Amino acid sequence: MTTYTVYKEQLPGLFEKWSESYALYVPAKLREGFYDLVPWKRDLEIAWDFDVAYNSPKRFLFPPREALITFNRKTCEAEPVFEAPPQILFGVHPYDVKAINQLDQLLETGSPDQNYVRRRAATVVMGYEPLTVSPTAFWASVGAASAAHGYDLYWTKIGPAAFTVEVGSARGEELLSMCGPLVPSTAGDKEGARRAKARVLFKARHNGLRYNWEETPRLLSKSWDSPLWRRYSQMCLACGSCNLVCPTCYCFDIREEADDQLEEGVRYREWDGCMLESFAKVAGNHNFRPKAQDRYRHRYFRKGKYIYDKIGELGCVGCGRCVRACTAGIANPLKVFNELWEETAHEH
Amino acid sequence: MAKPKIAFFDFAGCEGDQLQIANLEERLLDILGHVEVVSFREVATGHSDDYDVAFVEGSITRPEDEIRLKEIRKNAKVLVALGACAAIGGINCLKNFLAENVYREEVYGGQARWFSTYAARPLKSVVKVDAEIPGCPIDPTEFARITKELLLGRSPWIPDFPVCVECKQAGNVCRYEMGRMCLGIITRAGCKAACVSQGAHCWGCRGLVPGANLDAARIVMDRPGTSRKAIQDLLRFFLGDTGAAL
Ligand code: SF4
Ligand code: SF4
Ligand code: SF4
Ligand code: SF4
């Protein structure tokens, strides 16, 4: 695909134009050390060197709470509710692009999640090569340093005021050309992008799996009875933070509420998580994962094996968000997988 | 079908929860249109002992409160604890950590011996409670939802997970990552993490979440920069009647 070179001074014009027809989100600093994608406004300072967006991009495609149907109790009629505002996510790091690709695969296959599919179609993803690496991240070691697809445009900062922009879709190219003709990148600019990637990969080496990530499913198969699950899960608060901040977790619960006239009502879904005590509670109050240990182990099997068995990738893209969010200090796929690797060292 | 009759009662508390309900304003008229209110001091005068649902606010702080509460329990088909004081004892339980003569003197001064009082406790320590609408004050939208669920004959649902869930949904930066304390890790959700979203931290006003891991929570809270005293004070503030407060 084509790569263009774009200069910083062109951005305000592009942002202005895009925001006429899209909700535009860009990376900004929330407070020292904390960044997030926030609604763009004129004169907002873009945090080009953000290490990780505090909240994962899934909230734009699969919001924490979303109406699914409205119903009428008298006529017994129901109508689906679809909301899909056109939006541009500018500045999505490659591991988060990979996470979106996973959601696409998992939610669009089989019986497609119509609410997700519609929001996804209305969302433009503009990938962005990171300049820095969050202290808890390990994406480089789980195969999530680059995304081969899933973006409309992919931006790499190659100098103080210049970017290369790889085109990923016709829609992306069209958006990029809204403020005049585009200049294809020179070989030198492309080399600049390659070097930028090499630099950040070098920085990402500080944290990583001690083995090839593709071994993880096999490693877990051997670790069902490891004492590690109990050791760590004793500290688990069953708060679900690790699930909710994860860009690839997509569980939800469904509830209903009637209106104040008790005539109509809405059925909505809300984020749920397998670490919550009542997650596996079914009819008759039976809980098929009653112990913290069962839930804790389940989450790592999900990340390291079950998702892999479905799509050939780890369910963890190494963003490090759960590591940071866990107040108990036990949510940490990198540490867990590495320790299981040590435990089974005599076998490999 | 005749409209269900509902009544509001209060014990030791500030009536802030009934005020929250009154604050529903126009919505209140719609919701209360499905019922007949026989007693509601915040909105109307008059009283009757003929009611189906009793919303009871405040905690039990005197032996004679028990007699009145048991009477209410006898009259009501459904008894709902309204607010932190009724549901979990709430801040009234702070006095349980003081010697009786100290708090009596503090509250009633020279007339202390004219008043009877004992350790503060939630309604459920005295009678069976059918549903709880926790919080200090209650969230009026939760009151509306639970009332509607009762009217529709559904068993009322309140979240059974910690405040952290709603805090993450709201996208807040965790207080612990800012070097602060927060009780969201052991407190029942349902407030949409109101205090954290407004820049403060959770005080635990909605009571302990079922299965709260208190041992882990104490270790999590005990970090450099926080004193044991500060942890104890926070755990006693609303959770005095629970195992969290030592
Ligand atoms: S499991 Fe943790 S590190 Fe892995 S993708 Fe999810 S939040 Fe990120
Ligand atoms: S964030 Fe930590 S304490 Fe909370 S559920 Fe996950 S592992 Fe348990
Ligand atoms: S700020 Fe409090 S409620 Fe929010 S995630 Fe952190 S501990 Fe939980
Ligand atoms: S955040 Fe905590 S203290 Fe504040 S309303 Fe919610 S439960 Fe109560």
Side-chain angles (χ1 to χ4, degrees):
Chain A
M1 277 271 196
T2 330
T3 303
Y4 297 105
T5 297
V6 175
Y7 297 94
K8 218 178 197 169
E9 70 218 32
Q10 296 171 265
L11 291 179
L14 283 171
F15 287 174
E16 195 82 46
K17 262 252 157 331
W18 296 343
S19 61
E20 284 167 14
S21 24
Y22 291 86
L24 170 63
Y25 299 91
V26 300
K29 190 195 260 184
L30 298 177
R31 52 191 294 131
E32 202 52 49
F34 297 91
Y35 306 91
D36 209 353
L37 291 192
V38 304
W40 175 79
K41 52 180 193 296
R42 231 165 283 158
D43 302 323
L44 178 81
E45 197 183 330
I46 308 242
W48 296 109
D49 58 350
F50 79 103
D51 55 358
V52 63
Y54 193 76
N55 290 297
S56 93
K58 80 174 170 196
R59 66 176 50 242
F60 297 106
L61 304 167
F62 168 56
R65 178 182 168 136
E66 160 174 64
L68 300 177
I69 60 169
T70 54
F71 56 85
N72 186 305
R73 294 182 62 238
K74 294 227 163 75
T75 62
C76 292
E77 281 167 338
E79 289 287 330
V81 182
F82 294 119
E83 260 178 75
Q87 51 188 355
I88 296 178
L89 311 182
F90 178 89
V92 183
H93 283 166
Y95 50 86
D96 277 342
V97 175
K98 288 215 82 151
I100 294 174
N101 291 345
Q102 263 187 30
L103 293 180
D104 288 353
Q105 261 187 286
L106 294 161
L107 293 171
E108 291 179 2
T109 48
S111 120
D113 184 309
Q114 291 301 335
N115 297 72
Y116 179 87
V117 168
R118 283 172 166 78
R119 278 188 204 268
R120 179 68 183 93
T123 304
V124 178
V125 174
M126 299 205 181
Y128 175 63
E129 190 65 44
L131 298 174
T132 54
V133 182
S134 142
T136 58
F138 50 96
W139 38 262
S141 76
V142 289
S146 323
H149 62 96
Y151 52 81
D152 295 272
L153 294 174
Y154 193 88
W155 297 67
T156 305
K157 199 162 182 285
I158 54 166
F163 304 84
T164 59
V165 186
E166 250 174 88
V167 173
S169 76
R171 173 171 71 172
E173 189 160 27
E174 201 178 304
L175 283 166
L176 196 62
S177 34
M178 282 180 96
C179 287
L182 297 170
V183 192
S185 295
T186 61
D189 290 348
K190 286 186 190 164
E191 174 59 17
R194 204 193 53 74
R195 264 188 272 134
K197 170 119 242 163
R199 264 197 304 275
V200 74
L201 279 180
F202 185 78
K203 288 186 195 165
R205 288 187 325 168
H206 70 90
N207 239 358
L209 286 181
R210 295 199 196 110
Y211 60 90
N212 184 342
W213 63 268
E214 277 155 301
E215 292 291 319
T216 313
R218 280 203 316 131
L219 171 64
L220 283 174
S221 304
K222 289 187 280 187
S223 306
W224 182 261
D225 293 318
S226 165
L228 175 146
W229 309 121
R230 205 177 102 78
R231 195 166 70 237
Y232 282 132
S233 64
Q234 279 173 336
M235 273 298 286
C236 183
L237 298 151
C239 71
S241 292
C242 48
N243 296 128
L244 272 57
V245 300
C246 181
T248 67
C249 277
Y250 55 89
C251 284
F252 56 86
D253 200 0
I254 290 187
R255 284 189 267 278
E256 288 170 355
E257 182 168 353
D259 68 1
D260 294 346
Q261 286 72 38
L262 304 182
E263 279 161 17
E264 301 191 342
V266 53
R267 174 179 295 175
Y268 58 93
R269 65 172 166 195
E270 259 178 330
W271 286 357
D272 200 351
C274 60
M275 297 299 285
L276 300 177
E277 212 252 338
S278 61
F279 180 79
K281 227 183 228 169
V282 291
N285 257 351
H286 175 68
N287 193 335
F288 56 88
R289 277 197 293 273
K291 287 191 290 191
Q293 174 180 346
D294 304 332
R295 297 188 290 271
Y296 185 78
R297 176 174 57 195
H298 173 79
R299 178 165 178 267
Y300 292 89
F301 267 73
R302 188 85 193 149
K303 297 292 158 202
K305 181 164 170 23
Y306 303 150
I307 295 289
Y308 182 94
D309 292 345
K310 281 184 196 226
I311 62 171
E313 284 179 7
L314 293 188
C316 168
V317 296
C319 71
R321 288 188 182 93
C322 61
V323 183
R324 200 169 160 175
C326 179
T327 55
I330 54 163
N332 194 330
L334 178 69
K335 199 162 144 197
V336 167
F337 294 153
N338 274 340
E339 282 180 26
L340 292 175
W341 182 256
E342 297 300 315
E343 266 180 27
T344 53
H346 55 282
E347 296 174 39
H348 34 258
Chain B
M1 202 183 84
K3 287 180 174 181
K5 298 192 177 91
I6 70 168
F8 291 84
F9 300 92
D10 43 77
F11 288 90
C14 63
E15 289 183 43
D17 300 305
Q18 292 183 53
L19 190 62
Q20 283 291 98
I21 295 167
N23 284 344
L24 278 167
E25 297 177 351
E26 350 33 301
R27 288 195 62 192
L28 189 61
L29 294 177
D30 281 331
I31 296 167
L32 296 189
H34 309 291
V35 299
E36 188 186 329
V37 182
V38 299
S39 175
F40 192 177
R41 215 146 57 119
E42 285 291 336
V43 177
T45 48
H47 175 73
S48 152
D49 284 331
D50 177 19
Y51 45 81
D52 305 295
V53 184
F55 288 97
V56 185
E57 185 180 352
S59 32
I60 303 306
T61 55
R62 302 174 305 176
E64 56 266 42
D65 290 345
E66 292 198 13
I67 301 163
R68 188 170 151 237
L69 180 61
K70 283 176 181 156
E71 194 64 30
I72 296 169
R73 174 73 268 188
K74 209 156 64 191
N75 292 339
K77 292 195 188 74
V78 178
L79 189 149
V80 185
L82 200 58
C85 296
I88 60 167
I91 41 179
N92 286 321
C93 295
L94 273 174
K95 74 168 188 180
N96 302 355
F97 299 100
L98 301 173
E100 188 172 330
N101 59 338
V102 175
Y103 67 73
R104 287 176 71 90
E105 181 69 30
E106 179 82 16
V107 177
Y108 303 111
Q111 285 110 35
R113 65 195 168 81
W114 297 352
F115 296 88
S116 67
T117 172
Y118 71 177
R121 59 204 72 185
L123 307 184
K124 63 185 172 212
S125 305
V126 179
V127 295
K128 178 171 167 284
V129 171
D130 302 302
E132 285 179 5
I133 302 177
C136 178
I138 60 159
D139 175 351
T141 62
E142 190 173 51
F143 168 81
R145 181 178 56 75
I146 288 176
T147 305
K148 288 186 282 182
E149 285 170 358
L150 286 170
L151 287 167
L152 292 168
R154 304 175 68 160
S155 46
W157 178 82
I158 51 172
D160 53 6
F161 43 76
V163 174
C164 297
V165 170
E166 295 179 332
C167 192
K168 294 298 171 201
Q169 291 181 346
N172 295 322
V173 173
C174 179
R175 300 299 105 145
Y176 285 98
E177 287 187 65
M178 293 161 60
R180 290 164 59 182
M181 267 196 297
C182 180
L183 286 189
I185 51 177
I186 50 169
T187 303
R188 188 194 287 276
C191 59
K192 307 280 174 244
C195 301
V196 187
S197 297
Q198 283 159 21
H201 60 259
C202 176
W203 303 80
C205 84
R206 291 180 55 90
L208 288 182
V209 67
N213 187 344
L214 297 176
D215 293 338
R218 283 195 193 94
I219 297 171
V220 169
M221 293 172 82
D222 192 3
R223 297 187 172 196
T226 32
S227 67
R228 292 280 167 92
K229 173 83 169 60
I231 297 171
Q232 190 184 60
D233 285 351
L234 186 54
L235 285 169
R236 283 179 177 182
F237 199 75
F238 278 110
L239 302 175
D241 189 62
T242 73
L246 289 180

